[in-house]
Amino acid sequence: MKTIIKYIGITVTMLAGLPACEVERLPETSISDQTYWRSEGDLKSAANYLYTFLPAWSTEDVWSDDAIGLASNNISDGSRLAPATDGNYNTNYNLIRAANNIVEKAPRAAASTDKAIIDRYTAEARFFRAWGYYNLVQRFGDVPLILKTLDETAPELSAPASPRAAIFEQIYQDLDFAAQKLPTHTVLGTADFGRISNTAALAFKARVALFEGTRSKYHNYGEPAKHLKAAADAAKAVIDSKQHDLFTGAYFDLFQMPGEGRQNRENVIVKQYGVSLTERVVTHSYYRGSLENGNMNPTKSLADSYLMKDGLPITKSPLYKAPVVSTDVFVDRDTRMSDTFMKKGDPMMTTKPIFDIAPLVFNKTGFMFRKTANVDDWNTQASTIDRPILRYAEVLVTYAEALYELNGSISDADLDLTVNRLRQRGGVAKLTNAFATTNGLNIRDEIRRERRVELAQEGFRYWDLLRWKTAETELPKPVLGNYFFKAEFGTVTSVKLTSDNYILVQEASFRKFDPNKDYLWPLPINEIALNPALKQNKGW
């Protein structure tokens, strides 16, 4: 039974309740409480609030070439304008203010609380401050760097944005502090499962540093090698800690209840939901509300990225045969494909217990995601399946990619340590340098492929395309779906097909990406109005 982190109402009142736009202009007196910050319980309750900011299951992959929804979205079709407000901006500054508040006030507990305890909850706060700033700089680039709570007269409210390099330096400092002061996963154990550990801080640092290292490399700015080394070092520290390992069960079960709790060492950071309808934190309806009803459907582009079991892509493998029936798509393929995509015979939902073929009225690509699919959850619309936010599998592919991008090569031993452990889980032949040379494969592309299939449907693809500077190439392509199996799909008059009989979901003319502006998001107009020193991102 996993422990549920309880979010304390008084803490929410003290630390939240803020609009976050204008980078927090509430008077300091409105959140001060001289009777609080006296004990470990106070610090823990304050830190608990930060966990409410961990992201829920989402449909962000529709921004990428991995998925598409029932309708176009203004990111992939290029129609968005600079918004008046943006929750991605405001919410992260709410988180940052709450974290700053803990960092400032935790020392007040010194009279009755050990320094190690104060450091621990300060470290949690600094982890979440780093989390908030990474979310901001990933989207917006340069933003105001605020490291204290502000009152109405604070000069920081009218200061210009800080350079992204300074923000990343602060993120690294916060995560290094967290890695030093937080307990290990083992020490947290079952009682504190779900709280941030020292390896969570290191794994997140690896994610952050890989993003900035590859982004600066391919966008030609900054110090790529510095960030890539930081990514490799942090990922290797997680590997060497032996605190984590890959889930020993089926890949599909990793996203079901059997894959939850401290017994699953693959989960490094999770958003907890609960263990049952009667013992829960919150619930979600991600399967029924996002997947089954077509708000996020996998594309042919994603499907084609799964290797054949001989380790070769479908364009090179002699095992690949053009599909005649829908189940042929999964024959001799990486088994993670059939764990991620619905196929004929899979359990589906209460009103249709067994899946046969995706209904095109909802699943417009003719494919349907299977990850997190659960018949009981479909029925109740109240799932308690946790969202894995950072898995050990990500750490492995991060280490492989950081090494390759840093050195221009990777040894077979490091491929065995990373990529090949994941390929083994999918029943796919090993990747070696000799294998790549013999078959005309590019190691960098194969590492990127492994990242794509292992982390499919988990919200990474759009950001990967941005950092690799390939979004301008990949996102404007037409969106294709499954082969149109007429005997299975039936007569559908509204479906468009390509000349080779694949479902054409969205033509290229409806997909746009402007490399002159779309690699950064627009700052909210209200923020610029409140602080004229802020400058809008180029092109917006």
Side-chain angles (χ1 to χ4, degrees):
M1 183 78 65
K2 65 186 178 183
T3 297
I4 299 173
I5 297 174
K6 301 190 187 321
Y7 306 117
I8 309 302
I10 187 172
T11 309
V12 173
T13 302
M14 291 175 58
L15 299 179
L18 309 173
C21 64
E22 87 273 331
V23 196
E24 317 308 350
R25 292 172 182 262
L26 279 184
E28 179 66 15
T29 54
S30 68
I31 62 167
S32 293
D33 182 355
Q34 297 303 320
T35 66
Y36 202 70
W37 313 104
R38 300 290 180 86
S39 67
E40 179 180 354
D42 290 347
L43 299 181
K44 188 172 185 178
S45 294
N48 282 348
Y49 171 60
L50 304 176
Y51 288 82
T52 66
F53 288 86
L54 289 174
W57 291 99
S58 75
T59 59
E60 286 185 11
D61 280 309
V62 300
W63 303 339
S64 76
D65 57 348
D66 272 4
I68 190 169
L70 287 167
S72 181
N73 66 84
N74 64 8
I75 292 179
S76 64
D77 71 12
S79 66
R80 62 178 167 166
L81 303 172
T85 61
D86 186 340
N88 293 295
Y89 191 91
N90 298 348
T91 300
N92 282 300
Y93 273 115
N94 268 334
L95 171 59
I96 289 163
R97 181 180 175 93
N100 284 341
N101 199 40
I102 294 173
V103 172
E104 288 179 6
K105 295 178 181 176
R108 294 184 188 177
S112 60
T113 308
D114 289 344
K115 185 177 185 300
I117 298 297
I118 294 173
D119 285 347
R120 173 181 174 177
Y121 292 107
T122 300
E124 285 195 12
R126 291 186 67 171
F127 171 88
F128 279 101
R129 181 166 69 183
W131 183 277
Y133 272 118
Y134 175 62
N135 288 338
L136 286 166
V137 74
Q138 183 185 44
R139 287 168 170 79
F140 305 107
D142 299 350
V143 293
L145 181 60
I146 309 296
L147 301 177
K148 61 182 182 180
T149 54
L150 306 178
D151 62 25
E152 286 283 0
T153 63
E156 290 88 349
L157 293 173
S158 57
S162 298
R164 66 186 296 134
I167 297 169
F168 275 98
E169 281 303 311
Q170 183 60 50
I171 289 172
Y172 292 156
Q173 289 178 30
D174 283 345
L175 294 176
D176 287 344
F177 181 88
Q180 292 167 10
K181 303 298 183 180
L182 289 172
T184 65
H185 250 60
T186 298
V187 170
L188 287 174
T190 301
D192 273 336
F193 171 72
R195 300 200 81 89
I196 301 300
S197 66
N198 68 328
T199 47
L202 288 167
F204 184 57
K205 182 180 180 181
R207 176 190 290 182
V208 168
L210 180 68
F211 180 88
E212 190 61 4
T214 49
R215 193 183 191 283
S216 57
K217 178 178 180 177
Y218 291 106
H219 291 256
N220 297 312
Y221 68 85
E223 302 176 272
K226 169 187 169 182
H227 297 290
L228 291 169
K229 185 177 186 305
D233 289 348
K236 189 59 162 59
V238 177
I239 295 169
D240 291 344
S241 75
K242 307 298 184 184
Q243 290 289 307
H244 300 280
D245 204 349
L246 296 181
F247 180 57
T248 56
Y251 181 79
F252 176 75
D253 283 343
L254 180 55
F255 307 94
Q256 299 286 317
M257 298 299 286
E260 296 185 5
R262 180 65 185 98
Q263 71 277 7
N264 173 15
R265 297 175 65 203
E266 182 162 344
N267 284 338
V268 182
I269 304 174
V270 299
K271 183 177 181 66
Q272 292 189 90
Y273 284 88
V275 294
S276 67
L277 292 180
T278 56
E279 189 177 347
R280 64 191 183 188
V281 181
V282 289
T283 62
H284 63 85
S285 59
Y286 174 65
Y287 172 44
R288 185 167 177 176
S290 297
L291 306 184
E292 180 267 320
N293 72 358
N295 281 320
M296 190 167 76
N297 309 291
T299 61
K300 181 178 185 293
S301 177
L302 174 60
D304 288 353
S305 67
Y306 287 84
L307 294 169
M308 305 301 292
K309 68 181 182 182
D310 60 5
L312 294 173
I314 61 174
T315 54
K316 291 178 177 286
S317 174
L319 297 176
Y320 179 74
K321 301 291 187 293
V324 177
V325 295
S326 62
T327 51
D328 289 347
V329 175
F330 303 94
V331 173
D332 290 332
R333 300 291 285 275
D334 184 332
T335 59
R336 289 171 295 178
M337 183 180 185
S338 60
D339 287 334
T340 303
F341 287 61
M342 277 284 188
K343 63 186 180 303
K344 188 173 183 178
D346 286 334
M348 187 181 178
M349 59 190 186
T350 305
T351 56
K352 186 177 181 180
I354 302 299
F355 183 84
D356 49 19
I357 197 74
L360 292 176
V361 66
F362 296 117
N363 307 118
K364 293 186 178 296
T365 62
F367 288 121
M368 178 178 163
F369 276 123
R370 185 178 178 226
K371 262 188 189 180
T372 76
N374 184 288
V375 176
D376 291 338
D377 288 351
W378 184 91
N379 188 42
T380 64
Q381 299 186 69
S383 176
T384 54
I385 293 175
D386 288 348
R387 180 184 178 181
I389 293 172
L390 201 159
R391 298 191 280 120
Y392 185 62
E394 181 193 341
V395 176
L396 296 183
V397 290
T398 292
Y399 184 56
E401 185 180 349
L403 283 181
Y404 188 86
E405 294 291 356
L406 184 62
N407 302 318
S409 63
I410 184 171
S411 69
D412 286 351
D414 281 324
L415 287 173
D416 285 344
L417 181 66
T418 57
V419 168
N420 287 331
R421 294 203 64 200
L422 304 179
R423 287 163 75 114
Q424 182 181 21
R425 174 151 73 179
V428 176
K430 288 173 58 171
L431 175 66
T432 66
N433 284 279
F435 180 86
T437 300
T438 299
N439 291 285
L441 302 174
N442 181 292
I443 290 285
R444 185 193 69 178
D445 292 343
E446 293 310 302
I447 292 172
R448 290 182 178 183
R449 179 202 301 276
E450 189 60 40
R451 178 180 177 87
R452 185 180 190 181
V453 301
E454 174 65 34
L455 302 176
Q457 198 192 315
E458 296 179 51
F460 289 93
R461 179 65 174 172
Y462 171 78
W463 302 109
D464 288 343
L465 295 177
L466 292 192
R467 64 187 176 90
W468 295 330
K469 207 176 185 296
T470 55
E472 61 203 73
T473 302
E474 300 301 329
L475 293 187
K477 292 180 179 178
V479 176
L480 303 181
N482 203 353
Y483 188 85
F484 186 73
F485 304 99
K486 186 174 182 180
E488 297 178 70
F489 282 117
T491 302
V492 184
T493 57
S494 60
V495 68
K496 293 183 179 180
L497 301 176
T498 63
S499 58
D500 50 354
N501 211 45
Y502 284 91
I503 298 167
L504 175 59
V505 184
Q506 191 175 50
E507 297 183 39
S509 59
F510 292 99
R511 298 189 55 91
K512 295 180 174 59
F513 185 91
D514 184 349
N516 295 314
K517 69 172 186 175
D518 287 333
Y519 281 109
L520 286 176
W521 287 25
L523 289 168
I525 294 171
N526 286 356
E527 301 303 323
I528 297 172
L530 288 163
N531 179 8
L534 287 180
K535 303 302 179 185
Q536 184 59 277
N537 284 324
K538 180 183 175 182
W540 293 101

